[in-house]
Amino acid sequence: MKRPEPFEIYRPTSIREALQIRQTKGAGGYFQAGGTDLVIAVKEKGLVPKYVVDLKKISPLRVIREESDGSLRIGALVTMRELETSTLIRNRYPFLAQSAAEVGSVQIRNRATVGGNVANATPSADVAPALLVLDAEARISGLHGERSVPLAEFFVGPSKTVMMQSELLTEIVIPATHGVRGEYIKFSPREMMDLAYVGVAVALVFESNDKTCSRARIALGAVSPTPIRARKAEAILHNRVLTEELAELAGNEAATECSPISDVRSSAEYRREMVRVNTKRALLNVAAHITEPLRWIERRDRKY
Amino acid sequence: MEALEVVGKSVARVDGKDKVTGRATYGYDLVLPNMVYGKVLFSTRPHAKIHLLNVEKARNHPGVLCVVTGEDAPWTWGEAVKDTPFLANGKVRYVGEPIAAVAALDEDTAQAAVGLIEVEYEDLPAYLDAEEACAPGAFPIHEDYPNYRKEQFVNPHTSWPNICEHFKLRTGNVTQGFKESDLVLEERYRVPKIGHAAMEPHSAHAQVDPASGRVTVWVANDAPFRALHILSEALGLPQEQIRLINPFQGGGFGSKGGLKVEPIAIALAYRTNGRPVRVKFNRPETFSSTITRHGATVTIKSGVRNDGTLMARQVTIYWGAGAYAEKSPTVCIRGSLPSPGPYRIPHVQVDGYAVYTNEAVAGAFRGYGIPQTAWACEQHTDELAKRLGIDPLEFRLKNIFVDGDLTYWGEKLQNVGLKETLLKATEGIGWGKASNGSFKRKGVKIGRGFACILKPTRTPTTSTALVTIDASGVATIMAGTVEIGQGCSTILSQIAAEELRIPFEMVRMHPLDTDVIPVDASTTSSRSTYHMGNAVRLAAIDAREKIAKMAAAALGSSDDNLKFSNGNVLLKAGPPGVVSIAKLILDNLGTEGKVCGKGSYTFELGKDLNSNDGHSEHASAFYMYATQAAEVAVDEETGRVRLMRVVAAHDVGKAINPASCVGQIEGGLVMGIGAALHEELIVDRKGKIRNPSFLDYHLLTSLDVPEMTCIIVECPEPLGPYGAKGLGEPGLAPTPAAIGNAVANALGTRIYDLPLTIERVYWAIQSMKKKSPQVQLTGAS
């Protein structure tokens, strides 16, 4: 591991100040949140930043709050551990908390942030599929104002997003939805401390207890250049009763919608098969608990 | 005989507190005054001539003290074959081979200077597969092999290229044996290269005294005296001109013997004008440039009678040695020898070939070849039983070694605890009974399997120890066994306390320094409890006898009327009399006085294997026996093998410290499960290891570890201390085969290649369902 070349580091206390520094200093700078990706890039992958803008002192970005309309706002600096342990999140969307709990170790989750995970746009980012199925939006700030981008349009390619150099991801907004039940399956060979070989998130709204899906969202991680929605698979479920056969059809469809690669971890063919199997499983896991209250399930009891 | 006081008890580890509080100084932590930092240029080619090596820019880089290449360090070493240059000399033979090294005032400067070294290569044909490397007409990786100096036991194959050892075992006539059989089955099994993944990466610190030329090396080496010998041979220095000091070692599992980082540190230290040099490998360097476990291809053919009698077995093994011989000849010899398994077989033929390839060097790895051959032999044995319609347990009970059996290498075995381990492990897993069904899901198949092994130890070898007792009554053990994490300091302290009858807390271990510690062969081969245990026991008895003489005089009694207890000497009979050991030493030898006991142990019956037929009447001082059983849940939809339970029964002879034994078995199981399900060094077509980090080289996490039941079987070895045998290595040896058998039991199809990754198992299930050979599965022929 190499000691980094000296660089300037700024610690602004407001979003505006952070953006101004970025504008003044120009190219070659990086925003830093938890640093769990950036520090490795500097020490092990030869990244040489000209300067770094450390965002950790911008305290408004560290909050999860519920708006009066029922939507949730997750500040970009909320750590994975905070997302995982938040009572609000665990009660409303336990599968989102569980997706955060899949990241690295507790030590890593104490530093890694939701904003960092999303803005870095790694195809295998664990919270991205869970946020995608919740129709989350990214709030982006620039010196000339703010904008909102649906997360489904936010990712452009590996490590590429719609954000400009001069912009900062400030919040993730989850619109109010009633009766959402979801599941995130991180499929990897090891139970913990691994990268997703395949990540599958589903979020369903049932009309009543008869398992008819009035709303279905499926998102996939690690099997395309970006985390993606599997819209054709979603369409199969729409206004249909979620049976095993239907889940299987949706799984087959999702497997055709992704474009996985072969690498040292696994072959593209296997990844595609696992999208098929795990999409089906995620759907059936949701359907199996339809009459139970939403609850957090410990990792050791969630064996995929 | 008096009852044992501390031997056999689970006393807490003497090194535990220092380690868990972070006080222990490991080799990697060491800081020496005025030290400089070394960094290495590694080969990026698997096999190439070095056309040009220009170090001028690096030499002139500010902060650089020296740059060394093969020309500056013209030394060659080798444990069996003297084939390894300190730094590549004119040619590279694997990706990761050290070519040049830089010493500088700090690590970053050294690394920057390494980046300034220019190399031009001329590529040569590269071999990444052992069988291709020894095929007729293959390009020689070592052109000079015939001229290399070799140890006597090395038996090269003269007509095939790139063979650095050919082990032969011939017993009976296998052709005849197959003829007399009702069923003959031949299968081929494969085991990949894996990494040791010790918690502490490799490092070495070296210093050369400019005035005397004396070389001092601080290194966590598991055999400092062997390293001393090898260095003395390589550098042409008398042994007293070299000193090795052992800091704490953060694991090794075989990877830290011989020479690894030492040659680089020494080559630099000759040119830093007396300043000590630190060379630390990071994790990728440790994976790529130290050693790996041997990948192996094992072809096994057996003939059996319908009643389950094993008639003949023929085993052919290709061991991928990597670019240099290192310990390959002895891994090939001692790993191939018992490859037909712990069974009575009248006709046996074994051919083991250690083959040079252009991959990272393979060497010792906990188990020394047994895990690879057990993967083949134990699955094959299950397959035979299955085809005969005999229960695998019954099949083994019919054929396994028991007391008095003559092995196929010509040794009469005694004190064989194998049957007991077999019965206890299978009972523990519930063999023959219905599963509890603790993991129920559609498409999940439950299976059980077990595997047993026999493991010899390096023989003959010698251990020597001193036990001193000072005037405060504290005993100090001076022994060359390295605390590699296995718990030897605790075991040896228990033995000394037992013989001296002093409180366990009154025993200390002297730090390991070859200048002052008496010689020991190595901390390898599960040999220490037996050999060094005996040496320490003899040394403690020697000291006790000297104290007894003092006590007899002080108490006015005869030697045989004395009893040692709790640091005192008492009279057994007659008028009461008592004197403390401390007082005896103070009165007789003064405040600085010490009683010194000496002990040395060699297994004198030990005989080398005959190079023509592989036979020996006493191939090993003792044998270790183990059976492990596993219950798996195989998810047919994903290929995931989830281990539900593992039961491990090990014959240890006598458990000196039962908690420590359980720790060894559990540690072995975790390693064995990793090797079974995850671990593989993936080498690309250019010879580069693709996954040299813990991101993609998967070790188990605590969530991946199943319920483990460890059963200690005590079938005493009369020559071992208190009956002890060894235990360090067998913990992982039968594990993959037990899991493989359980998977085959669950699926009804067998997988021949390790590891049983989710993807390999998935495609095996698919090809079984479709009956099409979609995936590379070397099957039964």
Side-chain angles (χ1 to χ4, degrees):
Chain A
M1 197 177 294
K2 193 173 174 298
R3 196 165 51 193
E5 297 292 322
F7 56 78
E8 293 168 345
I9 186 153
Y10 299 90
R11 311 197 71 187
T13 54
S14 72
I15 296 169
R16 187 155 188 87
E17 192 189 344
L19 292 167
Q20 274 166 346
I21 293 166
R22 196 70 196 266
Q23 190 188 40
T24 318
K25 299 295 297 180
Y30 291 84
F31 287 125
Q32 178 189 313
T36 53
D37 287 317
L38 184 72
V39 172
I40 291 172
V42 171
K43 285 192 168 177
E44 293 186 356
K45 296 176 183 168
L47 180 76
V48 184
K50 202 171 125 200
Y51 64 98
V52 164
V53 183
D54 180 0
L55 305 170
K56 283 195 286 293
K57 288 198 163 173
I58 309 178
S59 40
L61 297 186
R62 305 206 51 164
V63 182
I64 303 174
R65 66 175 198 276
E66 186 172 19
E67 299 291 311
S68 53
D69 66 354
S71 63
L72 291 184
R73 290 177 169 263
I74 302 167
L77 291 182
V78 168
T79 66
M80 290 296 180
R81 185 68 174 164
E82 285 163 349
L83 189 66
E84 170 191 350
T85 54
S86 154
T87 315
L88 187 57
I89 301 292
R90 283 192 178 194
N91 288 340
R92 287 278 290 279
Y93 308 117
F95 72 100
L96 176 59
Q98 283 165 2
S99 76
E102 292 287 350
V103 175
S105 61
V106 173
Q107 291 91 329
I108 294 289
R109 297 200 290 279
N110 278 335
R111 294 206 59 93
T113 63
V114 177
N117 200 230
V118 171
N120 248 318
T122 312
S124 61
D126 281 306
V127 297
L131 290 170
L132 275 170
V133 294
L134 289 170
D135 289 339
E137 294 187 349
R139 293 285 292 165
I140 300 166
S141 281
L143 277 176
H144 307 295
E146 277 194 296
R147 59 177 177 140
S148 269
V149 178
L151 214 55
E153 293 161 28
F154 178 82
F155 301 112
V156 178
S159 308
K160 287 200 183 78
T161 70
V162 296
M163 287 199 296
M164 290 179 287
Q165 286 265 316
S166 56
E167 288 181 316
L168 177 64
L169 175 69
T170 56
E171 273 182 339
I172 302 291
V173 182
I174 301 174
T177 34
H178 185 68
V180 168
R181 288 177 171 269
E183 174 78 297
Y184 176 67
I185 295 181
K186 174 178 185 160
F187 186 80
S188 41
R190 206 156 59 172
E191 300 282 4
M192 212 64 213
M193 298 284 291
D194 208 344
L195 294 178
Y197 282 33
V198 169
V200 178
V202 301
L204 306 173
V205 176
F206 295 101
E207 270 178 2
S208 53
N209 283 353
D210 71 352
K211 298 192 182 175
T212 303
C213 295
S214 60
R215 178 181 178 279
R217 298 282 185 272
I218 299 172
L220 309 173
V223 287
S224 284
T226 69
I228 56 160
R229 285 266 298 275
R231 291 177 196 268
K232 288 185 197 160
E234 292 171 1
I236 286 178
L237 300 168
H238 197 66
N239 288 332
R240 306 268 302 271
V241 177
L242 179 52
T243 60
E244 192 160 342
E245 293 70 35
L246 194 70
E248 196 150 341
L249 285 177
N252 292 346
E253 195 59 45
T256 66
E257 287 184 79
C258 59
S259 46
I261 55 162
S262 291
D263 62 12
V264 71
R265 288 166 204 142
S266 135
S267 71
E269 295 74 20
Y270 181 69
R271 282 198 168 100
R272 206 181 282 280
E273 291 294 288
M274 290 308 105
V275 167
R276 180 177 62 73
V277 171
N278 287 295
T279 302
K280 180 187 81 177
R281 283 190 179 178
L283 291 168
L284 292 177
N285 282 356
V286 175
H289 301 106
I290 189 165
T291 56
E292 296 165 22
L294 291 175
R295 65 185 182 98
W296 164 263
I297 303 166
E298 288 297 336
R299 180 60 179 82
R300 63 175 167 273
D301 299 322
R302 284 184 280 130
K303 293 198 163 167
Y304 303 120
Chain B
M1 194 177 152
E2 287 176 68
L4 296 171
E5 282 184 350
V6 61
V7 161
K9 300 218 162 52
S10 293
V11 293
R13 286 180 66 124
V14 296
D15 53 342
K17 252 185 206 168
D18 277 349
K19 285 180 172 171
V20 299
T21 54
R23 277 198 300 268
T25 302
Y26 290 86
Y28 218 67
D29 303 325
L30 209 63
V31 175
L32 297 171
N34 217 15
M35 71 179 179
V36 296
Y37 301 80
K39 279 283 173 189
V40 183
L41 175 76
F42 298 100
S43 165
T44 56
R45 304 300 174 90
H47 196 192
K49 279 185 189 162
I50 301 175
H51 234 337
L52 175 135
L53 182 58
N54 185 351
V55 300
E56 276 317 298
K57 281 185 202 152
R59 225 162 236 162
N60 296 328
H61 191 67
V64 169
L65 277 86
C66 65
V67 182
V68 291
T69 67
E71 279 181 24
D72 309 305
W75 305 299
T76 304
W77 71 278
E79 285 188 33
V81 181
K82 318 297 163 187
D83 63 354
T84 317
F86 271 40
L87 291 162
N89 206 345
K91 180 173 171 176
V92 290
R93 296 180 172 90
Y94 69 101
V95 173
E97 179 166 2
I99 295 177
V102 175
L105 294 174
D106 64 77
E107 222 166 85
D108 289 345
T109 304
Q111 190 63 61
V114 164
L116 298 173
I117 300 174
E118 296 167 66
V119 201
E120 279 176 23
Y121 299 100
E122 182 190 330
D123 287 324
L124 296 168
Y127 298 96
L128 304 173
D129 177 89
E131 282 172 87
E132 282 173 26
C134 65
F139 190 90
I141 293 166
H142 290 269
E143 305 89 327
D144 272 347
Y145 183 78
N147 303 323
Y148 287 157
R149 282 186 302 123
K150 301 173 188 77
E151 295 296 329
Q152 234 177 0
F153 57 80
V154 176
N155 181 32
H157 197 286
T158 44
S159 57
W160 293 6
N162 292 320
I163 301 276
C164 72
E165 170 70 27
H166 175 199
F167 169 78
K168 275 185 293 194
L169 187 129
R170 301 287 184 265
T171 298
N173 179 337
V174 285
T175 315
Q176 187 62 31
F178 292 137
K179 261 188 213 157
E180 292 168 9
S181 301
D182 297 314
L183 169 73
V184 176
L185 176 69
E186 181 175 325
E187 294 175 308
R188 192 171 147 93
Y189 290 86
R190 275 206 285 246
V191 182
K193 284 170 111 61
I194 63 173
H196 299 70
M199 206 183 290
E200 179 200 25
H202 286 61
S203 67
H205 294 67
Q207 184 172 30
V208 178
D209 178 47
S212 65
R214 197 153 194 265
V215 178
T216 305
V217 187
W218 293 260
V219 62
N221 188 304
D222 68 26
F225 293 95
R226 180 158 56 191
L228 185 71
H229 169 77
I230 299 169
L231 279 173
S232 140
E233 200 178 58
L235 298 170
L237 288 178
Q239 292 204 10
E240 64 270 18
Q241 278 289 85
I242 306 169
R243 176 184 184 190
L244 271 84
I245 298 170
N246 261 59
F248 271 113
Q249 182 169 328
F253 311 112
S255 71
K256 288 175 180 164
L259 302 182
K260 299 291 169 295
V261 187
E262 295 88 340
I264 301 163
I266 292 169
L268 289 169
Y270 268 104
R271 283 155 195 270
T272 53
N273 199 22
R275 292 179 76 168
V277 182
R278 162 196 278 186
V279 182
K280 292 196 336 190
F281 277 7
N282 59 26
R283 185 60 64 181
E285 290 164 355
T286 294
F287 268 117
S288 306
S289 302
T290 61
I291 55 168
T292 69
R293 188 168 90 175
H294 287 79
T297 304
V298 185
T299 304
I300 182 165
K301 180 178 179 183
S302 300
V304 274
R305 289 253 171 91
N306 281 332
D307 67 355
T309 308
L310 266 171
M311 295 303 295
R313 187 163 270 183
Q314 183 177 4
V315 188
T316 307
I317 311 161
Y318 291 90
W319 305 92
Y324 294 98
E326 230 269 344
K327 287 192 180 72
S328 284
T330 47
V331 169
C332 178
I333 294 167
R334 291 208 290 274
S336 302
L337 171 74
S339 62
Y343 304 105
R344 285 186 304 272
I345 316 170
H347 305 285
V348 175
Q349 179 170 333
V350 179
D351 287 278
Y353 302 97
V355 189
Y356 283 123
T357 65
N358 294 110
E359 293 183 291
V361 182
F365 189 112
R366 192 179 192 179
Y368 224 69
I370 305 299
Q372 291 97 317
T373 58
W375 166 250
C377 170
E378 283 303 287
Q379 288 212 85
H380 178 73
T381 300
D382 254 37
E383 195 61 38
L384 285 171
K386 186 182 159 189
R387 293 187 187 213
L388 291 172
I390 300 176
D391 180 280
L393 176 59
E394 198 189 311
F395 183 85
R396 283 182 178 79
L397 287 172
K398 191 178 174 72
N399 291 291
I400 51 164
F401 288 145
V402 294
D403 278 1
D405 275 348
L406 189 67
T407 65
Y408 42 82
W409 61 90
E411 178 166 357
K412 196 173 177 191
L413 292 179
Q414 295 297 346
N415 322 306
V416 183
L418 181 60
K419 186 176 173 184
E420 198 177 340
T421 67
L422 194 54
L423 293 174
K424 288 200 164 154
T426 48
E427 186 196 355
I429 207 74
W431 186 257
K433 291 181 192 149
S435 167
N436 298 333
S438 46
F439 194 87
K440 277 185 188 148
R441 184 192 271 168
K442 211 181 135 192
V444 170
K445 293 260 173 81
I446 304 290
R448 288 183 187 148
F450 61 91
C452 55
I453 57 116
L454 153 153
K455 166 90 185 57
T457 188
R458 199 184 154 206
T459 302
T461 60
T462 299
S463 287
T464 313
L466 300 177
V467 172
T468 64
I469 304 136
D470 66 20
S472 61
V474 169
T476 301
I477 300 169
M478 301 180 77
T481 299
V482 183
E483 180 57 80
I484 53 178
Q486 83 281 45
C488 67
S489 342
T490 310
I491 302 286
L492 298 177
S493 298
Q494 282 177 268
I495 292 173
E498 186 67 51
E499 291 305 330
L500 294 166
R501 298 277 158 161
I502 61 173
F504 174 68
E505 301 73 33
M506 298 285 275
V507 185
R508 304 272 177 274
M509 286 292 294
H510 194 289
L512 216 171
D513 177 338
T514 57
D515 265 10
V516 294
I517 297 290
V519 69
D520 175 45
S522 60
T523 306
T524 63
S525 207
S526 313
R527 62 176 291 279
S528 298
T529 299
Y530 177 96
H531 290 88
M532 190 56 88
N534 267 330
V536 166
R537 182 169 172 265
L538 293 171
I541 291 171
D542 185 35
R544 189 182 69 203
E545 283 168 358
K546 287 177 181 167
I547 295 164
K549 286 207 170 60
M550 295 176 188
L555 296 171
S557 164
S558 63
D559 285 16
D560 54 9
N561 190 30
L562 299 173
K563 177 179 154 62
F564 281 67
S565 175
N566 199 28
N568 296 312
V569 189
L570 296 83
L571 292 179
K572 277 188 198 163
V578 62
V579 60
S580 74
I581 291 176
K583 183 167 163 45
L584 283 172
I585 293 168
L586 183 69
D587 291 350
N588 283 277
L589 304 171
T591 47
E592 298 84 13
K594 278 184 185 179
V595 165
C596 180
K598 293 177 216 165
S600 183
Y601 185 82
T602 312
F603 178 70
E604 284 167 354
L605 295 170
K607 277 198 184 135
D608 284 343
L609 303 173
N610 180 307
S611 65
N612 292 321
D613 63 7
H615 283 225
S616 167
E617 285 163 37
H618 289 288
S620 177
F622 57 88
Y623 290 89
M624 294 165 272
Y625 304 96
T627 304
Q628 294 182 353
E631 183 174 286
V632 299
V634 186
D635 188 332
E636 287 196 302
E637 279 193 323
T638 60
R640 187 188 294 282
V641 174
R642 186 164 272 125
L643 224 47
M644 309 308 294
R645 289 189 302 135
V646 183
V647 181
H650 287 254
D651 173 17
V652 304
K654 164 76 185 172
I656 308 282
N657 186 321
S660 202
C661 290
V662 170
Q664 277 284 9
I665 298 169
E666 287 183 345
L669 282 170
V670 171
M671 253 179 132
I673 296 166
L677 301 181
H678 299 287
E679 294 182 48
E680 173 173 21
L681 287 170
I682 299 166
V683 180
D684 69 18
R685 273 182 292 177
K686 290 177 176 171
K688 186 173 160 39
I689 293 172
R690 293 275 310 279
N691 56 339
S693 83
F694 290 140
L695 177 65
D696 287 315
Y697 188 89
H698 286 148
L699 301 177
L700 300 192
T701 71
S702 53
L703 274 179
D704 297 285
V705 176
E707 179 190 316
M708 298 185 282
T709 307
C710 302
I711 299 167
I712 294 170
V713 169
E714 293 182 322
C715 182
E717 176 62 47
L719 293 178
Y722 318 96
K725 297 174 180 171
L727 177 63
E729 295 167 292
L732 53 62
T735 323
I739 295 170
N741 281 335
V743 169
N745 179 245
L747 295 178
T749 190
R750 195 167 290 283
I751 300 172
Y752 297 87
D753 296 0
L754 274 177
L756 302 172
T757 58
I758 46 178
E759 181 160 358
R760 172 168 284 138
V761 175
Y762 178 80
W763 293 124
I765 293 166
Q766 294 308 306
S767 86
M768 176 183 69
K769 283 182 176 168
K770 292 175 195 162
K771 287 285 170 207
S772 70
Q774 182 167 0
V775 85
Q776 226 185 0
L777 282 175
T778 37
S781 52

